[in-house]
Amino acid sequence: MLIRWGHTQVICAVTCEENVPRWMKEQNVEGGWLTAEYSMLPYSTLTRKSRDISRGKLDGRSQEIQRLIGRSLRSVVDLKRLNGKTFYVDCDVLQADGGTRTASITGSYVALKLAVARLLAEEKIQEDPVIKSVAAVSVGVINGIPMLDLNYEEDSTAEVDMNLVMTSAGEFCELQGTGERITFSPNDLQKMLDLGREGITKLNQLQEQILAD
Amino acid sequence: MLIRWGHTQVICAVTCEENVPRWMKEQNVEGGWLTAEYSMLPYSTLTRKSRDISRGKLDGRSQEIQRLIGRSLRSVVDLKRLNGKTFYVDCDVLQADGGTRTASITGSYVALKLAVARLLAEEKIQEDPVIKSVAAVSVGVINGIPMLDLNYEEDSTAEVDMNLVMTSAGEFCELQGTGERITFSPNDLQKMLDLGREGITKLNQLQEQILAD
Amino acid sequence: MLIRWGHTQVICAVTCEENVPRWMKEQNVEGGWLTAEYSMLPYSTLTRKSRDISRGKLDGRSQEIQRLIGRSLRSVVDLKRLNGKTFYVDCDVLQADGGTRTASITGSYVALKLAVARLLAEEKIQEDPVIKSVAAVSVGVINGIPMLDLNYEEDSTAEVDMNLVMTSAGEFCELQGTGERITFSPNDLQKMLDLGREGITKLNQLQEQILAD
Amino acid sequence: MLIRWGHTQVICAVTCEENVPRWMKEQNVEGGWLTAEYSMLPYSTLTRKSRDISRGKLDGRSQEIQRLIGRSLRSVVDLKRLNGKTFYVDCDVLQADGGTRTASITGSYVALKLAVARLLAEEKIQEDPVIKSVAAVSVGVINGIPMLDLNYEEDSTAEVDMNLVMTSAGEFCELQGTGERITFSPNDLQKMLDLGREGITKLNQLQEQILAD
Amino acid sequence: MLIRWGHTQVICAVTCEENVPRWMKEQNVEGGWLTAEYSMLPYSTLTRKSRDISRGKLDGRSQEIQRLIGRSLRSVVDLKRLNGKTFYVDCDVLQADGGTRTASITGSYVALKLAVARLLAEEKIQEDPVIKSVAAVSVGVINGIPMLDLNYEEDSTAEVDMNLVMTSAGEFCELQGTGERITFSPNDLQKMLDLGREGITKLNQLQEQILAD
Amino acid sequence: MLIRWGHTQVICAVTCEENVPRWMKEQNVEGGWLTAEYSMLPYSTLTRKSRDISRGKLDGRSQEIQRLIGRSLRSVVDLKRLNGKTFYVDCDVLQADGGTRTASITGSYVALKLAVARLLAEEKIQEDPVIKSVAAVSVGVINGIPMLDLNYEEDSTAEVDMNLVMTSAGEFCELQGTGERITFSPNDLQKMLDLGREGITKLNQLQEQILAD
């Protein structure tokens, strides 16, 4: 599926395969796994971004983002119910205008639910492994003012950048706040958490609508 | 310098070189830079960990940690005062028993201050670029109880793992909480923040003592 | 732009940058350049295809295809008119059901014309460098019968596979016929060339329609 | 064996090993396999060419050529008769003066026949798997005139370059024509095919002579 | 353990694992194995040395040294007595002021003996596999005068550099003499051998003292 | 040129280019350079050896050998006389039957002299930079008996393996003795040196004869 998030566009696709990572086999871990890969297509940015394969390795930023997407989704999935299966979540950014990581998580949740529905219909799994919903927003402090930041340009003037990954019940999956070259106060933190909570609620509703269709 | 943190031991070394990253030159950015590299020596773990070079690439976890160390230290440094210089922060884990990333940040701050003192003495820089202090702790939820987690085993039974990087004035540099496969409540978050604050205060005192000697 | 070709879907994007490859600078070659990159997205195939970067290198088939796309488009472009500029043609396969290389060439021609129109409108170039049109089809021999093969499954039962890249004037840009594990007669060749000519003519009309809109 | 082709010299060696590629085992494909590797030695060109390993990867041109050599030879081999065996065809260019790919195919056929003769003599295989002969020529258009191009300098003034891989019975294994930066007419194509046919016939005779000795 | 050698400091660590290299399994070689890895930490040199992983490959000098360390220790170990086990010898240079390779060998012998003592105590091996002692010195010719060279700076003014690896009984394990850009006479060789012999004897005594403590 | 050494065959080629390594430019080192590359062609061994590029990196043994070849030749060359030039020595093993490294050095000396003669004739250099001759032999201890070992199988039953690189005047360029898994006495060493000296003398005569032709 394609998620649009302001001008940001990300393809979120979920594939299910009948195998598990080697470390699970070696350590005899039961259940299944979910992993994510994230990539920016070369035409997603104003200046063409050279492909990962041209530079020979995945850059640190992409690695961090795909690890974040994977952890966020695993925190709402009961891996036991995926016996012997792995879900691959692929997020490819078609157009990047800020918020690609939060768009990826929010969209991948919907793609995951759709993939699960199909697997249930085909009786390939017996029980829905997705036990909670998940969505993500970024909030920031811009010119000293905390604000919800759906259309946020990553390399912008924001002084603080915080990503919130939460369930519809208001629990946290992941919380990452960084003041690249600046620090922020406990008071700023509280305001950002409140704003983020509101944003998550709206995203939950949008997700539900899409899944209801 | 060598930081001991329970059984964890990390070498933190700071080197200063007369150059800046290529992107700074290309974009004509003024000032200097600070970057960090993190590595676990093969004998740091119970089972020998093969070297990065043997596996051919830096693993995602190490990349994330070295990016975190770099961001944390940059948030307390005025890069303008480092004109044309780059600080390299090297963190090599001799023994890993939990908390290697927070130990690395806390120890690197001390190493950085010592390196700066030497540069000031040699009149290679005119003004101290380190404008705030920084330390880091991890806090977690274990068996449902939030606790300060100085000797925490990363692959342990902790349900939630939160890293706090803060200044001595109680400002946040970085905040990363993750419930790998679990979620946590706003109430848990508040308790972890309080505990973390206490831990940071103690570490600030230890840092001051070492620097005073 | 997105080209659909039976069930095959390929994103064809053209970006123009103000630089030329290093070898052109070193050898003082005048004019500009055009280069292509081709990649199959992991969810484009029935069984998920692992990313190039996961395998650490571009596979031989993708390299061959991207070199073919580049050569085909360069044969209808007057590089002299692109002074100091490089066109990057990116072809990313969203869904693969045969004919991805011919779809990529045919779609990239349209994307190139659109990019050129924009550059002319912005007065970044003075003259249209695209001096001929280009389209591509594959023809094959299936069960002994040569046939035009728009919806051809590459790993299918075809005994011979021939790719024709031609201009609207019926000139050849590129001609690649291979009888993977089989040989074919001059008579088969002639029939395939005739069929291909017909297919190219239809594609030229479709390209013109899109560009006219 | 060493093939001389004008000033071009290529070592063509065929080795047989008792294993098959992993994909054949995984997909339970019966029979054997034949694969080719092509490399230009550093002293084969006027200006020393740095080794593949120094640049860290095989360049696209070498990959295309080794895939072509492999396909060409497989088209005249009955892989079923190679049960569980793989033929490795190694082509190393000692001196490059044009036509290295066609020289490699033509020479490798002879090396393959010699290797098969030895295996038959040693009773390691029961039946000759080489069911047809194969040779290759390149033909080109130079100053508007199609010509057979045995001593052709690849980066020369040729406007069109076509490689023909054919059996002694006049069947095509592979046909690759490219007008790098130019296009060519159906009439040019026919003339090149006729010239190529003549060249192949002469090469067949030379191959037979060598094998008869 | 940490070996100091003038200003040179090397961490020598020995780990024992229950596996053997793949080639031993494939060739059904009995017994165990011993292998060494050598690395210079980035802050070991006056100018910071970039990590192996940053350059993407182990440099030739480090590879040569780690192969030398491995061979030297294997020559005094009865590998038969290590059934199914591999000793990993890790040498990480903290500070480099000449003689890092000879310090590594001399220190690793002590680390190996300590590791063996622990394994014997834990009854994981039955018999001491270390059947001889080993130590290493470098000797050189400086300004025409052969001299024992414990604090030798590798890139110094030495004209000839010779590494001697010997047992306490005066047998050679390894002998490497090189006159980088110069040659040396049989007479020089004899003097260097005599000096080296004396140095080895002193090192044997120091090793015995440490092991006795 | 091709050197035959028992059944061993090595191509030794010397190319001269008008540039010097980057480190020489950066450090403003005057003169020129000489470097060597060594590779075993896949068909040089009884069981086909996969190419360096297929394994993705140069193996440690090849690296050691090419460094040895480079050092050996540099020790008889006055690099000052090569102002701004680099000699590339390429050694490719066509057939390996022991002694490939000593054959490479001995043959490369002849190839170097031939290349220098051509450069002098073309007046590209003014003075012969090769100021001494060089040749190499390996000597070993087999079944307790030191012997000159021209046709030595590297992975054979030899207990000690020593490579001697010497000038015609009996000076040492390089001396490498290793008792892989065994040690050797000063007495063994003396006998090997005597035998090696004899072998070098014979090789000097052969080199002179070839160069005289």
Side-chain angles (χ1 to χ4, degrees), chain B residues 25-193:
Chain B
K25 287 180 208 155
E26 286 173 358
Q27 299 173 25
N28 281 313
V29 178
E30 300 236 331
W33 191 244
L34 181 150
T35 187
E37 297 191 356
Y38 168 94
S39 181
M40 292 180 75
L41 289 164
Y43 33 84
S44 64
T45 45
L46 280 182
T47 309
R48 186 175 178 279
K49 185 175 186 297
S50 63
R51 289 172 192 266
D52 299 328
I53 193 68
S54 307
R55 279 169 294 113
K57 61 174 183 177
L58 200 58
D59 58 282
R61 178 184 165 275
S62 292
Q63 266 202 54
E64 252 185 66
I65 294 178
Q66 67 187 26
R67 282 161 59 91
L68 171 65
I69 300 169
R71 280 198 310 272
S72 297
L73 291 174
R74 282 195 299 273
S75 71
V76 298
V77 167
D78 182 353
L79 296 171
K80 293 265 165 59
R81 299 188 186 171
L82 290 179
N83 206 26
K85 290 184 173 59
T86 294
F87 278 114
Y88 290 89
V89 177
D90 285 291
C91 298
D92 287 281
V93 180
L94 275 177
Q95 199 165 320
D97 188 35
T100 62
R101 79 187 71 190
T102 45
S104 295
I105 293 167
T106 307
S108 293
Y109 169 76
V110 178
L112 177 62
K113 287 293 288 184
L114 293 172
V116 162
R118 202 169 50 235
L119 289 168
L120 284 168
E122 293 169 356
E123 296 191 354
K124 289 193 177 150
I125 53 176
Q126 308 310 321
E127 230 178 337
D128 187 343
V130 185
I131 52 179
K132 298 179 190 174
S133 78
V134 65
V137 289
S138 69
V139 283
V141 176
I142 296 178
N143 298 325
I145 305 168
M147 37 194 304
L148 182 58
D149 195 8
L150 290 168
N151 289 33
Y152 161 71
E153 198 40 91
E154 260 179 82
D155 49 347
S156 74
T157 54
E159 292 133 20
V160 180
D161 180 18
M162 170 163 285
N163 293 296
L164 290 177
V165 186
M166 298 179 76
T167 67
S168 59
E171 298 264 304
F172 294 99
C173 302
E174 189 96 16
L175 178 74
Q176 291 190 337
T178 181
E180 171 81 30
R181 307 195 203 174
I182 222 170
T183 55
F184 56 99
S185 68
N187 193 28
D188 290 337
L189 173 61
Q190 194 51 53
K191 284 188 194 149
M192 289 190 284
L193 291 176

Side-chain angles (χ1 to χ4, degrees), chain A residues 112-167:
Chain A
L112 178 61
K113 286 293 289 185
L114 293 172
V116 161
R118 203 168 51 236
L119 289 168
L120 283 168
E122 293 170 355
E123 296 192 352
K124 289 195 176 148
I125 54 174
Q126 309 310 322
E127 229 177 339
D128 187 343
V130 185
I131 51 179
K132 298 178 190 175
S133 77
V134 66
V137 290
S138 69
V139 283
V141 176
I142 296 177
N143 299 324
I145 304 168
M147 37 193 305
L148 181 58
D149 195 9
L150 291 170
N151 288 33
Y152 162 71
E153 206 27 278
E154 260 179 83
D155 48 348
S156 74
T157 55
E159 291 134 21
V160 179
D161 180 19
M162 172 164 284
N163 293 296
L164 290 178
V165 187
M166 298 179 75
T167 66

